[in-house]
Structures are given as structure tokens and as C-alpha cells.
Amino acid sequence: MERTSFFVDDDMKKYAHLDEPLPIGFGQTISQPSLVLEMTRLLSPEKDGKVLEIGTGSGFQTAILAKMSAEVFTVERIPELMEKARERLETLNFTNVRYKVGDGSLGWPEYAPYDRIMVTAAACALPDELVEQLANGGRMVIPIGPPDLQELKLITKTGNGDIRITTVEFVRFVELKGKYGWK
């Protein structure tokens, strides 16, 4: 699978066809396309759904979520990355994305609940704030664990609000900075 070179900087474009993470600046990476695809499949976005994305990064995952959902609310802690992602997504004429710079581990409570939550950085533990913002019947995909290796988790909230946690595979992500970072 080839990731479009549109979402990486000029010096990385020659590597855009590789199925591996690539640097996007500020110590952050764009995930390999096969993992983006797998996480999107697990999340199972719906056309009429509202998605919260934690970690906008380059905007690659955001674009996929925006194509598959009614609304995407994306939070990025690094203003420069958010601005580049916004420019890319506006160039592609996405009008269903809202942007926020801040601590993604706290979510975006003003617009909760969300049908789906995609977290693209690793937390040391499952963020309570994100679980609270997940709608009953919703799904969240999040990597959880220490710096060297994390477990990719699928969190589902039943219709009555019970939480089910499934470990899908082992992954390696950059740190979710903020309250649920690695300390």
C-alpha cells in the first residue's frame, strides 16, 4: 500500500511508498500505511458518526476519518503540525474537520460524546477522560504501554455504558504527551 506523499515533507517524499513510519518533525511520525488501515478497520467509522482523533500529526489519518465520517474533531499538541495538517486538509476540500491545539489525553469534552475515538500516540494508561467522552455503543482504538512496546487496544462501550477492552496486537508509537504520557 502506498501512502500519498502529500502528507510528508519534501525530504521524506522519496520514502512515502514504504510501509513504515516516517518522521514528520518535532519528534513525531506518520504511521505506516498498513497500521493506519488496521486501526481504521478496528475503529469502524460510520458515515453519520462523530469521531474524535487524538494526534493530528500530518493529517493522513484525519483525511481517512473525514472521508468515512460525518464530523471529525482532531486534537494536536504541536501548533506547527496542526497548522500544516489544516492546510493540507483544506487543500483537499475537507469541510467536516474541526481543529484544536491542546492536551489530547483530555479529549475535547465540549463536543462529546463521540461515536468513535482514534488515538494515534501511546498512553501509559487508558485515559479516563476519553472513556467518559465515548458514546454508549462507541469504539476507541488506542495504544497503551511503556515506551518500547505498547498494546493496541480496542475499547468498546456497550449500550448500557459497560467497557470492554480487547488487545489486538503489539505496536510502537510516539508518546501521548500530557496527563497520560510516560512521565
Side-chain angles (χ1 to χ4, degrees):
M1 175 194 307
E2 184 173 327
R3 145 188 52 219
T4 176
S5 62
F6 184 72
F7 290 95
V8 293
D9 292 329
D10 288 342
D11 59 334
M12 289 289 117
K13 288 188 186 306
K14 63 186 170 200
Y15 304 109
H17 68 283
L18 300 174
D19 189 31
E20 55 187 62
L22 296 176
I24 58 171
F26 304 93
Q28 304 301 298
T29 60
I30 182 174
S31 294
Q32 69 251 35
S34 61
L35 185 54
V36 172
L37 178 64
E38 175 63 9
M39 290 175 69
T40 304
R41 186 191 68 75
L42 288 167
L43 193 68
S44 190
E46 298 174 326
K47 265 297 191 203
D48 61 348
K50 182 165 61 168
V51 177
L52 173 63
E53 178 192 38
I54 305 302
T56 314
S58 70
F60 181 58
Q61 177 74 76
T62 316
I64 293 169
L65 294 172
K67 271 285 204 199
M68 300 176 77
S69 309
E71 291 181 283
V72 176
F73 295 77
T74 187
V75 182
E76 172 59 54
R77 71 177 182 85
I78 302 169
E80 295 88 348
L81 287 180
M82 176 62 80
E83 188 52 38
K84 284 173 97 171
R86 181 194 307 257
E87 289 171 8
R88 287 177 177 126
L89 294 166
E90 287 176 355
T91 297
L92 296 172
N93 295 316
F94 284 106
T95 58
N96 61 336
V97 180
R98 294 187 190 204
Y99 307 87
K100 178 181 180 180
V101 174
D103 181 352
S105 65
L106 302 177
W108 198 343
E110 297 88 331
Y111 296 100
Y114 300 97
D115 303 303
R116 301 290 187 266
I117 300 177
M118 173 72 78
V119 184
T120 62
C124 66
L126 181 60
D128 294 331
E129 291 84 350
L130 297 182
V131 173
E132 290 170 13
Q133 292 173 42
L134 186 62
N136 286 355
R139 300 166 73 92
M140 176 179 3
V141 175
I142 180 172
I144 299 174
D148 292 337
L149 193 64
Q150 304 94 37
E151 295 180 0
L152 186 62
K153 304 275 190 182
L154 172 62
I155 314 299
T156 54
K157 191 182 261 190
T158 66
N160 64 4
D162 291 338
I163 301 299
R164 297 204 175 109
I165 302 173
T166 306
T167 298
V168 178
E169 64 181 293
F170 289 96
V171 292
R172 185 178 299 169
F173 275 81
V174 297
E175 177 183 13
L176 178 65
K177 300 284 188 179
K179 183 175 178 182
Y180 292 90
W182 292 321
K183 311 289 183 254

